[in-house]
Amino acid sequence: MTRMTIDDMLADARRELNRLRPEQTAAALAAGAVLIDIRTDAQLRRDGWVPQALLIERNVLEWRLDPASAHRLPQDLGLGDQVVIMCDEGYTSSLAAASLRQLGFGRATDVDGGYQAWRAAGYPVVTGDPASSRNY
């Protein structure tokens, strides 16, 4: 097997994604897309989160969404639904979205620039203790 760098992995993941800018993300949410924030509790406490986002840490994402998983979330997410992944700056989310595409979520993508771009664009955020909003 040929060794890949993280830059190679990221480029490979992004080839399959139709990444969304914050304004496109807002439009997708209005049209029924599901936004999943994969940042840690520390990041959520520090910066806040998008009010309608599902908060699922990266390390359990696939188990919470895979229709075949015994640990799947109760939300009725179908493989055809548009799932938009958000991380802090839009790197980890690309890798996560590519992983979800491998699970069959053909419309999975991510937010270009992540939460920081969303917040900088002036879109709504909430702050506080994320524990009560955590979806895992």
Side-chain angles (χ1 to χ4, degrees), residues 3 7 15 19 25 27-28 36 38 44 47 49-50 52 55 61 66 84-85 87 96 101-102 104 110 121 125 127 133:
R3 179 195 169 318
D7 290 334
R15 271 192 270 287
R19 303 184 76 217
T25 302
I36 300 175
I38 61 172
L44 296 169
D47 293 333
W49 60 93
V50 177
Q52 63 266 49
L55 307 180
L61 180 67
D66 184 353
V84 182
I85 306 298
C87 69
R101 291 176 72 87
Q102 289 179 328
D110 73 325
V125 300
T127 58
S133 297

Side-chain angles (χ1 to χ4, degrees), residues 6 26-27 32 54 87 120:
I6 188 60
L54 294 176
C87 69

Side-chain angles (χ1 to χ4, degrees), residues 4-124:
M4 293 179 78
T5 67
I6 188 60
D7 290 334
D8 295 335
M9 289 177 68
L10 191 59
D12 192 45
R14 287 179 173 169
R15 271 192 270 287
E16 299 295 319
L17 302 177
N18 179 24
R19 303 184 76 217
L20 304 178
R21 294 183 314 276
E23 62 275 10
Q24 293 170 307
T25 302
L29 292 175
V34 177
L35 180 65
I36 300 175
D37 190 327
I38 61 172
R39 294 175 301 137
T40 65
D41 277 349
Q43 291 171 309
L44 296 169
R45 275 192 297 276
R46 181 189 71 211
D47 293 333
W49 60 93
V50 177
Q52 63 266 49
L54 294 176
L55 307 180
I56 306 171
E57 282 196 34
R58 173 66 188 101
N59 64 324
V60 295
L61 180 67
E62 289 83 357
W63 285 270
R64 298 301 182 254
L65 294 186
D66 184 353
S69 173
H71 304 286
R72 184 168 191 229
L73 288 175
Q75 284 84 353
D76 190 23
L77 292 177
L79 295 176
D81 291 339
Q82 184 174 20
V83 177
V84 182
I85 306 298
M86 175 182 279
C87 69
D88 199 48
E89 294 183 351
Y91 296 95
T92 303
S93 58
S94 294
L95 299 173
S99 179
L100 291 181
R101 291 176 72 87
Q102 289 179 328
L103 287 177
F105 289 91
R107 296 177 63 206
T109 191
D110 73 325
V111 180
D112 190 358
Y115 180 80
Q116 297 305 325
W118 174 274
R119 186 172 67 169
Y123 287 100

